[in-house]
Amino acid sequence: MKIVIIGNGMVSYKFCEKILSKTHATPPQITIFGEEPRPAYDRVHLSEFFAGKTADDLLLAPASWYSENNIRLHLGDPVQHIDRENKTVHSYKGINESYDYLIFATGSAAFVPPIPGVDKKGVFIYRTIEDLELMRDYAPKAKRGVVIGGGLLGLEAAKALLDLGIPDTHVIEFAPRLMPRQIDDAGSRILQSKLNQLGLEIHTNKNTSIILGDDTITGLQFADDSVLEADMLVISAGIKPRDELAKLCGLDTGHRGGIVVNDHLQTTDPAIFAIGECALHNGMVYGLVAPGYEMAEVVATNLSSGDKSFTGYDMSTKLKLIGVDVASFGDPFTGRPIVYEDTMKGIYKRINVSDDGKTLIGGILVGEAEAYNMLLQTAKNKVILPPNPEDVLLGARGGATEAGPGVLGLPDDAIICSCESVTKAAICQAVEAGHESLNDVKKCTKAGTCCGGCVPMVKDLITSTMKAQGKYIRNVLCEHFHYSRQELYDLIKVKQLYTFDEVLDTYGQGDGCETCKPVVASILASLWNELILDKGNDTVQDSNDRFLANIQKGGTYSVVPRIPGGEITPAKLLVIAQVALKYNLYTKITGGQRIDLFGAHLSDLPSIWEELIAAGFESGHAYGKALRTVKSCVGSTWCRFGLHDSVSFAIQIEERYRGLRAPHKIKSAVSGCIRECAEAQSKDFGIIATEKGWNLYVGGNGGSKPQHAILLASDLDSETCIRYIDRFLMFYIKTADPLTRTATWLNKLDGGITYLRNVVVNDSLGIANELEAEMQSLVDRYKCEWKEVVDNPELRKRFNHFVNAPGEKDPTVKFDHLREQKKAAEWK
Amino acid sequence: MEVTTDTQKEWVLACHTTDVPPNGGVCVKLGDEQVALFYFARRNEWYATQNLCPHRQQMALSRGMTGTQEGEPKVACPFHKKTFSLKDGRCLTDEHECSITTYPVKVIENKVYIGLYNPVAIM
Ligand code: SRM
Ligand SMILES: Cc1cc2nc3c(=O)[nH]c(=O)nc-3n(C[C@H](O)[C@H](O)[C@H](O)COP(=O)(O)OP(=O)(O)OC[C@H]3O[C@@H](n4cnc5c(N)ncnc54)[C@H](O)[C@@H]3O)c2cc1C
Ligand code: SF4
Ligand code: FES
């Protein structure tokens, strides 16, 4: 069987891949003619060309792949004539090739509306690598860029102009709103305001009538006679299927373009097929890659003694536009809408419910599209909605039940990965067959390998399937350690191991990675409280711990000296000011009642700390998963309502637990009365003065999921309060998963606060003494780690940017100015 | 296809073996270029790459954490933890991220040399 394919774009390549994977009595002989100079590349990610990808990076497969698979590939050689009677094609370079089956995979071209002046210099289209090369070369001359077309591709082109360094970029849309085919007016308004923030000017309801300029574009004139000056224009007004050759040889084409095909994707000549963007099926041209891949699958199956039909394709789309998520699925415009709109955060969500309220017809998501996959599947599979359909949009409120039926509730044939058409059943089967990691499932099903949008759902399916099989999902660290953090903590303690290498040799395999190294480093620090940069443990610390400072945009660091309880003398304030002036640091009062000095070069850190330490400061551990601040209100020393001296108690507590390393950072606060000015109930442990003593609260959190702390014990004297904190913190350190704050840990703890209270207050496990003793030994071993570095010339050497030019600063570090101080230069 | 032979490489002295922390990295200044040099003490292997992380264009990879993934040596950028293979420079966490340039390394008598293909670039 001789197959000739016209066009070597994305769908052509996919067809080859598919037909090769089927079984044949005799392998088909495949010949491809491609008009472009290079083999098929990833047009979907074309814009990444401007983000530094090369044409080679974008190739779907190198030329060698075709020859290895016995496919003859003629590049830069378009087919010019087809002789249907003798079943031969004739190419530009003069090759004649006969076929049994001919496949059109000619894609489409950019549609250029007949506006006078489109041929001027500075006017571009956006379809091929060559188009992008032309734009890239022209852009440095341009000051204002304009894109005609506010659809999917137009907005992508506008982003490309911004990436090319043209800050003044405008989008012209003929319709009254952006992305008129995918989203409604309200969604478009939100999208527009988000794009405005990014520096794009949007003009809707604008009809371009002339492109101005002599031979080079100078501007656009619109039907309303207004004019917009411009020196670069990208036209992205839609696509035009490449059907000219089909027309020429007498095949039926649509009057608005496209080669007419039936459900087998056969044209009016049964020996000739059309797939991808050039095909017109049931009145539709599909301008997306997934339906094209499905068409490739249908023809590959039918040419390999299978039987398959193409019955249309869901045009749901999700894309990330310049950092704004936009998704539209099913029928975005009809049905009974339920709408959620947050103009503050720029979020718009709409779902359309069927008249009987039972199923989802479609919807629109702008600004936040995490729910896209689940909603799409709910709509596609006509999953019955919960009694309050708004729950699928807003989550179940008030009750503890999960909204919607969850991933396992989807039917087996639900398509999870639409690019590669992988069903739920295929993924579950792969998991059941033992492919239990995302990578394995990707490899054996191809799910999630194209656009990646379905990856969160694939992950959900993996865990749900494993749970359904009754498998205990072991909470192991990573490929190097098959233990949970808690198990490893106990093992390291029993075996008395002190370095990462010892731990790896004893309990792990391989060489470690960025997941397990910081975890082990943190366990070692929690157990032994030795200098974290000692014994070769420095390179297993998270980057911030390794350099005892938080890395900032641009690669400089911040310096945060400890200011216990927020109390500081004027003399010490002076020292901070002097140091900041001397090393040119940006200063700011933090949300944690202390002062942060930003913008320090790596090689300056030891000298800065040397000066601070000499004045009585010590490390604030702002870089560590360690105790941060113990905030305090002013308390009874000054405040007319204060019941106890909250500042003194806060200082006592901060000094007790300073430097204590834990699975995550720990924060605390002490308030002098129930007015709670120190916000103690938002801390990992918080203390509030009462008439009789202190109330101790635990498990509070700020951050993205704020949670109030829960009362653990009331009216404690100072000494008991500290003993309970010792027990609470040690118990947390021993049992929490990596990077889990006390709030999350407590939420997951079986028995919750009642259990914790039993352990800490009633000593139900009989370990209270042990916990206190362990804490005391950590407290006794505390040393300021910056002081140790400052005093140690060998360690100081590590704080240099260049190993072969010590002291020399990284010349790529740049600063800007803002309100009389410096700030980090914006990154790309 | 360009063929590169060993003679086209310029071996530049970077530093001494003891300058590099075991299982960690340092940044080497070679003319105007910054090269990240890594020492896998456990495997006694040396790797060198560009110091610039392509993600946000930060001079940071030398401060990243080294490790392996199914035996393949890699480094994780300190900024957003994108990881790159030290063998061929491709990004392991994000197939759409650009690759980084890798350089050959050789050690002679406690001195570490980095092989540059294009000596002109460092003049
Ligand atoms: C400097 C400061 C902002 C400020 O200018 O006020 C700040 C700055 C940073 N915060 Fe924060 N946070 C600061 C107070 C807070 C607060 C308010 C507070 O502590 O009262 C919170 C919410 C309270 C809480 O933690 O429960 C806060 C919640 C976070 C979180 C989210 C934690 C969570 O549980 O969700 C992170 C991310 C993390 O730790 O993983 C974070 C992470 C960060 C990091 C370390 C991000 C990073 O890796 O670069 C920032 C760099 C600090 C630096 O020095 O370079 N920061 N951060 C504040 C320093 C306080 C201090 O003196 O140490
Ligand atoms: C910037 C951009 C972003 C996109 N983003 C997305 C996205 O996010 N999601 C999505 O699903 N889709 C996206 N698309 C659309 C997607 O790229 C197309 O749907 C897909 O490439 C169609 O594949 P195809 O093989 O049908 O056509 P093409 O990839 O266009 O390939 C057709 C090939 O045939 C060649 N050809 C034409 N005539 C002849 C001839 N006579 N002889 C020989 N060769 C010929 C053409 O030169 C071309 O190389 C995007 C497109 C662009 C341009
Ligand atoms: S909590 Fe408020 S009122 Fe009470 S002591 Fe502190 S500052 Fe005064
Ligand atoms: S800058 Fe390296 S991962 Fe973002």
Side-chain angles (χ1 to χ4, degrees):
Chain A
M1 178 174 57
K2 282 168 98 174
I3 302 176
V4 171
I5 308 172
I6 313 181
N8 186 219
M10 298 188 76
V11 174
S12 163
Y13 167 77
K14 187 51 80 177
F15 172 80
C16 296
E17 207 184 82
K18 299 242 178 199
I19 196 147
L20 290 173
S21 71
K22 319 247 169 206
T23 43
H24 303 270
T26 46
Q29 281 178 39
I30 305 175
T31 307
I32 308 178
F33 289 90
E35 176 188 63
E36 293 187 66
R38 49 177 68 79
Y41 52 86
D42 185 355
R43 211 179 295 287
V44 168
H45 293 104
L46 189 62
S47 298
E48 290 175 18
F49 185 71
F50 291 137
K53 283 242 159 131
T54 63
D56 277 356
D57 295 336
L58 289 172
L59 289 187
L60 295 174
S64 55
W65 180 85
Y66 296 85
S67 50
E68 280 156 21
N69 287 294
N70 295 319
I71 298 174
R72 273 185 293 162
L73 178 61
H74 304 288
L75 292 173
D77 192 10
V79 171
Q80 287 191 316
H81 179 74
I82 299 166
D83 179 349
R84 282 169 49 199
E85 219 154 276
N86 296 311
K87 291 195 165 180
T88 45
V89 301
H90 180 80
S91 81
Y92 167 77
K93 290 186 183 160
I95 303 175
N96 286 313
E97 189 70 53
S98 66
Y99 63 82
D100 298 317
Y101 295 104
L102 178 64
I103 298 174
F104 274 91
T106 46
S108 55
F111 166 67
V112 180
I115 308 169
V118 288
D119 49 354
K120 290 195 177 22
K121 248 190 243 159
V123 181
F124 300 86
I125 54 169
Y126 200 71
R127 177 85 199 172
T128 64
I129 291 187
E130 283 70 29
D131 295 336
L132 269 62
E133 282 170 348
L134 292 173
M135 282 169 65
R136 186 189 55 195
D137 296 345
Y138 195 84
K141 284 181 266 178
K143 296 208 170 55
R144 177 181 284 168
V146 175
V147 175
I148 293 187
L152 279 171
L153 283 181
L155 294 176
E156 193 164 323
K159 148 103 166 114
L161 291 184
L162 289 180
D163 284 349
L164 282 170
I166 308 178
D168 189 12
T169 293
H170 297 242
V171 175
I172 311 292
E173 170 57 50
F174 175 73
R177 61 170 188 266
L178 293 174
M179 298 182 62
R181 278 191 232 200
Q182 288 88 6
I183 63 179
D184 60 7
D185 285 331
S188 167
R189 271 199 305 277
I190 293 267
L191 175 60
Q192 200 165 327
S193 68
K194 287 222 141 182
L195 296 177
N196 284 341
Q197 284 167 16
L198 293 161
L200 281 180
E201 281 243 27
I202 315 279
H203 310 261
T204 50
N205 272 322
K206 280 270 183 202
N207 188 1
T208 314
S209 48
I210 308 175
I211 294 165
L212 306 168
D214 290 336
D215 62 330
T216 304
I217 175 175
T218 57
L220 291 86
Q221 186 170 330
F222 302 103
D224 60 8
D225 282 342
S226 60
V227 166
L228 179 67
E229 280 179 26
D231 42 18
M232 181 163 178
L233 171 66
V234 182
I235 296 183
S236 188
I239 55 170
K240 195 176 78 208
R242 299 279 305 266
D243 59 4
E244 65 277 3
L245 194 59
K247 234 185 230 159
L248 210 64
C249 68
L251 298 176
D252 276 4
T253 55
H255 68 281
R256 296 181 60 201
I259 308 170
V260 175
V261 291
N262 63 17
D263 285 358
H264 286 114
L265 303 162
Q266 275 162 314
T267 65
T268 36
D269 179 338
I272 304 183
F273 296 81
I275 56 178
E277 276 189 352
C278 61
L280 179 67
H281 176 262
N282 218 349
M284 267 292 267
V285 166
Y286 291 91
L288 292 176
V289 74
Y293 281 6
E294 175 66 17
M295 292 179 185
E297 166 70 22
V298 168
V299 177
T301 308
N302 291 337
L303 292 184
S304 316
S305 68
D307 184 25
K308 228 177 185 171
S309 298
F310 182 80
T311 51
Y313 205 86
D314 182 84
M315 286 295 276
S316 306
T317 34
K318 175 177 170 208
L319 71 164
K320 197 164 199 91
L321 280 167
I322 328 186
V324 190
D325 282 324
V326 182
S328 132
F329 60 95
D331 181 341
F333 303 120
T334 59
R336 294 175 169 249
I338 299 176
V339 171
Y340 169 84
E341 182 170 355
D342 179 343
T343 52
M344 292 292 292
K345 292 195 183 132
I347 295 172
Y348 175 76
K349 298 182 185 180
R350 162 177 175 165
I351 54 170
N352 303 319
V353 177
S354 61
D355 279 337
D356 59 9
K358 292 219 167 97
T359 52
L360 191 58
I361 300 178
I364 299 169
L365 304 168
V366 179
E368 192 183 275
E370 272 155 39
Y372 169 74
N373 279 315
M374 199 59 212
L375 290 175
L376 172 65
Q377 297 300 339
T378 307
K380 263 193 181 165
N381 299 295
K382 307 209 160 46
V383 175
I384 300 298
L385 293 173
N388 300 312
E390 70 271 20
D391 287 356
V392 300
L393 195 61
L394 304 171
R397 286 136 302 130
T401 46
E402 209 180 297
V407 273
L408 284 188
L410 295 170
D412 277 353
D413 56 359
I415 301 284
I416 303 297
C417 169
S418 42
C419 301
E420 297 286 346
S421 23
V422 187
T423 60
K424 176 197 150 198
I427 294 171
C428 294
Q429 278 158 17
V431 178
E432 282 157 14
H435 304 279
E436 294 176 348
S437 74
L438 177 63
N439 267 343
D440 286 355
V441 171
K442 272 183 164 177
K443 266 187 207 141
C444 82
T445 66
K446 289 204 142 197
T449 52
C450 188
C451 75
C454 61
V455 165
M457 204 149 189
V458 175
K459 279 193 193 155
D460 272 3
L461 272 174
I462 298 175
T463 27
S464 323
T465 312
M466 287 174 66
K467 277 201 187 133
Q469 286 174 294
K471 279 201 188 158
Y472 161 63
I473 302 178
R474 272 199 85 197
N475 202 357
V476 300
L477 288 186
C478 64
E479 63 176 81
H480 305 109
F481 287 98
H482 289 269
Y483 295 101
S484 70
R485 180 185 174 281
Q486 183 176 352
E487 290 164 339
L488 212 51
Y489 179 98
D490 292 336
L491 292 170
I492 296 175
K493 184 175 171 200
V494 171
K495 278 262 170 155
Q496 304 250 334
L497 304 178
Y498 288 88
T499 70
F500 177 77
D501 274 349
E502 287 169 5
V503 178
L504 189 60
D505 290 341
T506 320
Y507 295 111
Q509 54 263 318
D511 303 85
C513 66
E514 70 280 5
T515 304
C516 58
K517 283 179 173 180
V519 174
V520 172
S522 154
I523 294 176
L524 291 171
S526 292
L527 276 173
W528 317 125
N529 205 3
E530 295 181 322
L531 177 60
I532 60 168
L533 304 185
D534 250 359
K535 301 193 174 160
N537 286 334
D538 56 337
T539 52
V540 302
Q541 306 292 338
D542 241 330
S543 178
N544 286 349
D545 272 310
R546 178 170 166 202
F547 296 106
L548 303 179
N550 285 322
I551 192 164
Q552 313 292 346
K553 246 184 195 170
T556 61
Y557 289 86
S558 71
V559 173
V560 189
R562 188 168 293 293
I563 300 179
E567 183 184 87
I568 186 163
T569 61
K572 276 185 148 180
L573 271 177
L574 260 180
V575 174
I576 289 191
Q578 279 158 358
V579 168
L581 282 172
K582 177 162 170 195
Y583 294 94
N584 183 24
L585 305 174
Y586 166 84
T587 56
K588 179 184 180 298
I589 312 275
T590 72
Q593 281 188 344
R594 44 192 191 173
I595 299 173
D596 203 338
L597 311 162
F598 292 87
H601 283 277
L602 184 58
S603 51
D604 281 342
L605 287 176
S607 333
I608 291 174
W609 277 105
E610 189 164 22
E611 292 184 33
L612 290 171
I613 287 167
F617 286 104
E618 60 183 358
S619 168
H621 296 94
Y623 44 81
K625 303 292 174 228
L627 179 84
R628 294 289 171 84
T629 66
V630 181
K631 266 171 79 166
S632 164
C633 75
V634 62
S636 62
T637 49
W638 292 92
C639 177
R640 65 198 164 117
F641 294 115
L643 297 172
H644 310 302
D645 181 357
S646 50
V647 179
S648 298
F649 200 41
I651 294 176
Q652 186 185 348
I653 288 176
E654 182 154 347
E655 290 185 339
R656 180 167 181 82
Y657 303 114
R658 62 189 166 186
L660 176 70
R661 280 190 155 75
H664 207 312
K665 60 190 179 195
I666 315 167
K667 298 180 175 183
S668 176
V670 184
S671 278
C673 82
I674 197 58
R675 287 169 193 76
E676 247 285 69
C677 302
E679 302 170 307
Q681 289 164 101
S682 69
K683 301 299 176 193
D684 296 279
F685 63 99
I687 299 159
I688 302 177
T690 66
E691 296 280 351
K692 299 182 197 136
W694 305 103
N695 279 356
L696 175 59
Y697 295 79
V698 294
N701 204 171
S704 59
K705 284 210 179 74
Q707 179 169 325
H708 273 141
I710 308 173
L711 184 65
L712 183 73
S714 337
D715 298 328
L716 305 171
D717 59 61
S718 303
E719 194 206 334
T720 313
C721 187
I722 286 178
R723 281 176 40 213
Y724 285 179
I725 301 170
D726 280 1
R727 296 175 188 180
F728 162 73
L729 288 177
M730 245 7 260
F731 190 53
Y732 161 67
I733 289 173
K734 279 169 169 267
T735 58
D737 281 336
L739 299 180
T740 307
R741 289 286 290 270
T742 56
T744 322
W745 166 75
L746 185 52
N747 294 345
K748 285 201 221 154
L749 194 68
D750 273 340
I753 186 73
T754 317
Y755 177 74
L756 182 65
R757 198 177 285 126
N758 273 334
V759 174
V760 172
V761 180
N762 306 327
D763 194 13
S764 59
L765 298 180
I767 54 171
N769 287 339
E770 186 190 326
L771 296 175
E772 282 175 39
E774 280 169 338
M775 181 61 82
Q776 191 56 47
S777 91
L778 292 179
V779 171
D780 293 341
R781 266 178 279 162
Y782 166 80
K783 282 185 189 152
C784 169
E785 52 207 18
W786 260 117
K787 183 165 191 314
E788 292 184 80
V789 170
V790 164
D791 293 343
N792 179 331
E794 272 309 304
L795 287 177
R796 278 181 89 130
K797 267 212 265 178
R798 306 268 172 87
F799 293 80
N800 272 309
H801 183 67
F802 293 114
V803 66
N804 55 346
E808 200 170 308
K809 293 177 178 144
D810 178 1
T812 66
V813 171
K814 297 273 181 303
F815 300 109
D816 287 336
H817 284 274
L818 186 67
R819 288 184 295 275
E820 296 168 58
Q821 295 201 66
K822 70 176 181 186
K823 71 165 190 136
E826 213 33 64
W827 58 12
K828 299 225 175 97
Chain B
M1 160 104 353
E2 210 185 327
V3 183
T4 317
T5 61
D6 199 51
T7 50
Q8 275 172 280
K9 268 180 227 153
E10 169 107 333
W11 289 103
V12 190
L13 175 66
C15 58
H16 283 83
T17 49
T18 49
D19 293 336
V20 186
N23 303 310
V26 292
C27 172
V28 186
K29 182 176 153 87
L30 296 177
D32 282 341
E33 288 205 32
Q34 302 195 12
V35 175
L37 173 67
F38 303 99
Y39 175 41
F40 277 64
R42 293 179 63 85
R43 303 153 61 121
N44 195 25
E45 287 170 3
W46 293 82
Y47 296 97
T49 69
Q50 66 184 60
N51 193 28
L52 186 78
C53 175
H55 174 228
R56 288 289 191 170
Q57 311 277 312
Q58 301 289 300
M59 281 296 183
L61 293 177
S62 60
R63 301 181 203 165
M65 189 175 282
T66 58
T68 53
Q69 177 172 323
E70 287 164 12
E72 181 160 3
K74 59 172 184 171
V75 61
C77 174
F79 277 96
H80 311 97
K81 296 255 165 81
K82 293 209 180 203
T83 60
F84 299 88
S85 159
L86 295 176
K87 282 236 146 88
D88 59 13
R90 76 188 194 290
C91 182
L92 300 172
T93 35
D94 177 357
E95 57 178 319
H96 298 303
E97 186 53 78
C98 300
S99 303
I100 55 172
T101 309
T102 57
Y103 303 90
V105 182
K106 65 181 180 190
V107 175
I108 303 171
E109 290 171 355
N110 298 330
K111 289 195 182 101
V112 189
Y113 297 84
I114 296 177
L116 299 178
Y117 287 102
N118 183 2
V120 190
I122 63 144
M123 287 320 212

